[in-house]
Amino acid sequence: MSRTRKIYLEESEMPRKWYNIQADMPNKMLPPLHPGTKQPLSPDDLAPLFPMELIKQEVSQEKWIEIPEEVQDVYRIWRPSPLVRARNFEKLLDAPVRIYFKNESVSPAGSHKPNTAVPQAYYNYKEGVKKIITETGAGQWGSALSFATQFFGIDLQVFMVKVSYNQKPYRKSMVNTWGGQIAPSPSTMTEAGRKVLELDPNSPGSLGIAISEAVEMAVKDPDAKYSLGSVLNHVLLHQTIIGEEAIKQFSKTNDYPDVVIGCFGGGSNFAGISFPFIRLNLCQGKKTRLVAVEPESCPKLTRGVFHYDFGDTMGMTPLLPMYTLGHNFMPPKIHAGGLRYHGAGPIVSQLLKDKLIEATAVHQLESFDAGVKFARSEGIIPAPESTHAIAQVIKEANRAREEGKNKTILFNLSGHGLVDMASYDQYFAGNLQDYSVSEKQIKDSVAELDIFPAE
Ligand SMILES: *Cc1c(COP(=O)(O)O)cnc(C)c1O
């Protein structure tokens, strides 16, 4: 046992239910509001965008939700994912810590995103949807959804943020290989895209703009629905299989995490690894710390405001109560494209407000440095997003050394970086820099929110 590196589960031990944290939250979230009337949304308002089963999951208060057999069948292509003891990385850090990571990079798309792409494709298929339209930041979501839709015979159109489309051409190839269509955003295919291009023909795009394009196209096509890879409650729900597996895996060791760490874009991989541990904090008196790590260049959790805001730039999505930098906030072009989003999921926002989780921010260079250290000790090249979690692991290890305290750390390796090597090249060439967002930029961007209801 002492030299064990990987703790596996048998396929038969894979969890059969997702954990719905809404059932256990001490304070419920404020309701989403209709973008036009600013009144609480009814499930019917979402029907043009999502299949009914996902809308039900969005508002469900049931603690456990069955994973359909057909979804389990696809999950078994790569799940259960290994829990790995990072022994070489521990040795490198030389601190009194045991470090584990959940390796979500083993999925076919190389990230945690297929955990929700598969059930989303499945529920659309069950309700007769022929086509799904979505957006993608760094390309992971688009590729994950392309992987998932083909199992259920659904067509896919992806809008990819232009700056990433140019930086990461192989994500486009992956989408095409699995059968999906993909266009850079802003595009001329939608009114939203054309409007942005009119104002700024060189717009690098943003996730908010791409969402506007996808939502517009989905609403105009009666056979199509929209799909989102993060932020929403049902997305976070599907990701909880990560943490539920990890809990089963820890039960095969003598260990249990003191701190659980995940990088943070909209909240899905962080939620996936942390919510099941929050469940044990709330229901069994455990005291694990949960730490969300965002980039300094897009600091919604650490410097944003808790306020109703749109999920997109054009104001087409419902208003959600969340920590936000304002929907017009344009994050610098950092290489962790999947973390360039202005807001945080409503559940994670409420948990942060209630101090059930913590948030911190790290700079780009520190993250890449941590990623390279990890690659040179553990062998796996992490996604630029995941390196933010690894940078925080190093900080936790340093703190444990200073305090002379033993600590068990778990982090989510949300993906590998093999399709992001251009970013590593830029880092090695010394072309990357840290970006600090000024107080003024945040203040100006957040000031625009005053036209919406406050909390
Ligand atoms: C998309 C992505 C993220 C960020 O999104 P979350 O919803 O916050 O998890 C992080 N890591 C990887 C590898 C991703 O693909």
Side-chain angles (χ1 to χ4, degrees), residues 111-113 140 230 263-270 338-339 383 385-386 414-415:
S111 76
H112 66 291
K113 290 204 168 70
Q140 288 106 328
S230 186
C263 66
F264 196 97
S268 78
N269 91 89
F270 171 75
L339 305 184
E385 290 83 2
S386 314
S414 55

Short mmCIF file of all heavy atoms in Angstrom, two decimals, residues 111-113 140 230 263-270 338-339 383 385-386 414-415, ligand 1:
data_model
loop_
_atom_site.label_atom_id
_atom_site.label_comp_id
_atom_site.label_asym_id
_atom_site.label_seq_id
_atom_site.Cartn_x
_atom_site.Cartn_y
_atom_site.Cartn_z
N SER A 111 -10.52 16.42 -20.96
CA SER A 111 -10.90 17.27 -19.82
C SER A 111 -12.11 16.67 -19.11
O SER A 111 -12.63 15.63 -19.51
CB SER A 111 -11.26 18.68 -20.30
OG SER A 111 -12.56 18.68 -20.89
N HIS A 112 -12.54 17.37 -18.06
CA HIS A 112 -13.73 16.94 -17.31
C HIS A 112 -15.03 17.20 -18.08
O HIS A 112 -16.09 16.73 -17.69
CB HIS A 112 -13.79 17.70 -15.98
CG HIS A 112 -14.03 19.18 -16.15
ND1 HIS A 112 -13.09 20.04 -16.70
CD2 HIS A 112 -15.12 19.95 -15.91
CE1 HIS A 112 -13.58 21.27 -16.75
NE2 HIS A 112 -14.81 21.25 -16.29
N LYS A 113 -14.98 17.98 -19.16
CA LYS A 113 -16.22 18.47 -19.78
C LYS A 113 -17.15 17.37 -20.32
O LYS A 113 -18.37 17.56 -20.30
CB LYS A 113 -15.90 19.51 -20.84
CG LYS A 113 -15.37 20.81 -20.19
CD LYS A 113 -15.57 22.01 -21.06
CE LYS A 113 -15.31 23.30 -20.30
NZ LYS A 113 -13.89 23.51 -19.98
N GLN A 140 -12.33 23.38 -25.38
CA GLN A 140 -12.58 22.10 -24.70
C GLN A 140 -14.06 21.73 -24.71
O GLN A 140 -14.40 20.58 -24.89
CB GLN A 140 -12.08 22.13 -23.25
CG GLN A 140 -10.58 22.11 -23.13
CD GLN A 140 -10.08 23.48 -22.73
OE1 GLN A 140 -10.67 24.49 -23.10
NE2 GLN A 140 -8.99 23.52 -21.99
N SER A 230 -20.79 25.15 -18.56
CA SER A 230 -20.41 25.49 -17.19
C SER A 230 -21.53 26.32 -16.58
O SER A 230 -22.62 26.43 -17.16
CB SER A 230 -19.08 26.27 -17.20
OG SER A 230 -18.64 26.49 -15.88
N CYS A 263 -9.41 24.68 -10.21
CA CYS A 263 -9.35 25.95 -10.92
C CYS A 263 -10.78 26.38 -11.24
O CYS A 263 -11.71 25.57 -11.20
CB CYS A 263 -8.51 25.84 -12.19
SG CYS A 263 -9.20 24.76 -13.46
N PHE A 264 -10.94 27.70 -11.53
CA PHE A 264 -12.29 28.22 -11.64
C PHE A 264 -12.49 29.10 -12.87
O PHE A 264 -11.88 30.14 -13.01
CB PHE A 264 -12.62 29.03 -10.38
CG PHE A 264 -14.09 29.28 -10.22
CD1 PHE A 264 -14.85 28.47 -9.40
CD2 PHE A 264 -14.71 30.30 -10.92
CE1 PHE A 264 -16.21 28.68 -9.27
CE2 PHE A 264 -16.08 30.51 -10.80
CZ PHE A 264 -16.82 29.70 -9.97
N GLY A 265 -13.37 28.62 -13.79
CA GLY A 265 -13.78 29.44 -14.92
C GLY A 265 -15.22 29.89 -14.65
O GLY A 265 -15.48 31.04 -14.31
N GLY A 266 -16.16 28.98 -14.79
CA GLY A 266 -17.55 29.25 -14.42
C GLY A 266 -17.97 28.42 -13.22
O GLY A 266 -19.02 28.63 -12.64
N GLY A 267 -17.13 27.42 -12.89
CA GLY A 267 -17.36 26.67 -11.66
C GLY A 267 -17.57 25.18 -11.80
O GLY A 267 -17.73 24.47 -10.81
N SER A 268 -17.55 24.63 -13.03
CA SER A 268 -18.01 23.25 -13.16
C SER A 268 -17.01 22.21 -12.64
O SER A 268 -17.39 21.28 -11.93
CB SER A 268 -18.42 22.94 -14.60
OG SER A 268 -17.32 22.72 -15.45
N ASN A 269 -15.72 22.37 -12.96
CA ASN A 269 -14.80 21.33 -12.45
C ASN A 269 -14.56 21.51 -10.96
O ASN A 269 -14.42 20.53 -10.23
CB ASN A 269 -13.50 21.29 -13.27
CG ASN A 269 -12.40 22.16 -12.72
OD1 ASN A 269 -11.61 21.73 -11.88
ND2 ASN A 269 -12.34 23.41 -13.16
N PHE A 270 -14.58 22.77 -10.51
CA PHE A 270 -14.46 23.02 -9.06
C PHE A 270 -15.65 22.41 -8.32
O PHE A 270 -15.50 21.73 -7.31
CB PHE A 270 -14.36 24.53 -8.77
CG PHE A 270 -14.45 24.85 -7.32
CD1 PHE A 270 -13.37 24.59 -6.48
CD2 PHE A 270 -15.62 25.35 -6.77
CE1 PHE A 270 -13.47 24.85 -5.11
CE2 PHE A 270 -15.72 25.61 -5.41
CZ PHE A 270 -14.64 25.36 -4.58
N GLY A 338 -10.16 28.89 -20.94
CA GLY A 338 -11.35 28.37 -20.26
C GLY A 338 -11.67 29.10 -18.96
O GLY A 338 -12.71 28.86 -18.36
N LEU A 339 -10.76 29.98 -18.52
CA LEU A 339 -11.02 30.71 -17.27
C LEU A 339 -11.41 32.17 -17.55
O LEU A 339 -11.59 32.95 -16.64
CB LEU A 339 -9.79 30.67 -16.35
CG LEU A 339 -9.23 29.29 -16.02
CD1 LEU A 339 -8.08 29.40 -15.02
CD2 LEU A 339 -10.31 28.36 -15.44
N ALA A 383 -3.43 21.10 -18.56
CA ALA A 383 -4.06 22.20 -19.30
C ALA A 383 -3.69 23.51 -18.61
O ALA A 383 -3.55 23.55 -17.39
CB ALA A 383 -5.58 22.02 -19.30
N GLU A 385 -5.49 25.87 -17.80
CA GLU A 385 -6.49 26.12 -16.75
C GLU A 385 -6.08 25.38 -15.47
O GLU A 385 -6.05 25.95 -14.38
CB GLU A 385 -7.87 25.64 -17.19
CG GLU A 385 -8.52 26.47 -18.29
CD GLU A 385 -8.03 26.08 -19.69
OE1 GLU A 385 -7.22 25.14 -19.82
OE2 GLU A 385 -8.47 26.75 -20.66
N SER A 386 -5.77 24.10 -15.64
CA SER A 386 -5.47 23.26 -14.46
C SER A 386 -4.23 23.74 -13.72
O SER A 386 -4.09 23.48 -12.52
CB SER A 386 -5.27 21.80 -14.89
OG SER A 386 -6.27 21.39 -15.78
N SER A 414 -8.09 19.08 -14.15
CA SER A 414 -9.29 19.19 -14.98
C SER A 414 -9.04 18.80 -16.43
O SER A 414 -9.98 18.45 -17.15
CB SER A 414 -9.88 20.60 -14.90
OG SER A 414 -8.91 21.57 -15.23
N GLY A 415 -7.77 18.86 -16.87
CA GLY A 415 -7.49 18.43 -18.24
C GLY A 415 -6.00 18.40 -18.53
O GLY A 415 -5.20 18.93 -17.76
C1 LIG B 1 -13.38 24.52 -19.33
C2 LIG B 1 -12.26 24.14 -18.49
C3 LIG B 1 -12.05 24.73 -17.23
C4 LIG B 1 -12.87 25.85 -16.69
O1 LIG B 1 -14.25 25.68 -16.60
P1 LIG B 1 -15.00 25.32 -15.27
O2 LIG B 1 -16.42 25.27 -15.65
O3 LIG B 1 -14.72 26.41 -14.27
O4 LIG B 1 -14.49 24.02 -14.84
C5 LIG B 1 -10.99 24.27 -16.48
N1 LIG B 1 -10.16 23.31 -16.93
C6 LIG B 1 -10.33 22.74 -18.13
C7 LIG B 1 -9.36 21.69 -18.57
C8 LIG B 1 -11.39 23.12 -18.92
O5 LIG B 1 -11.56 22.53 -20.11
#
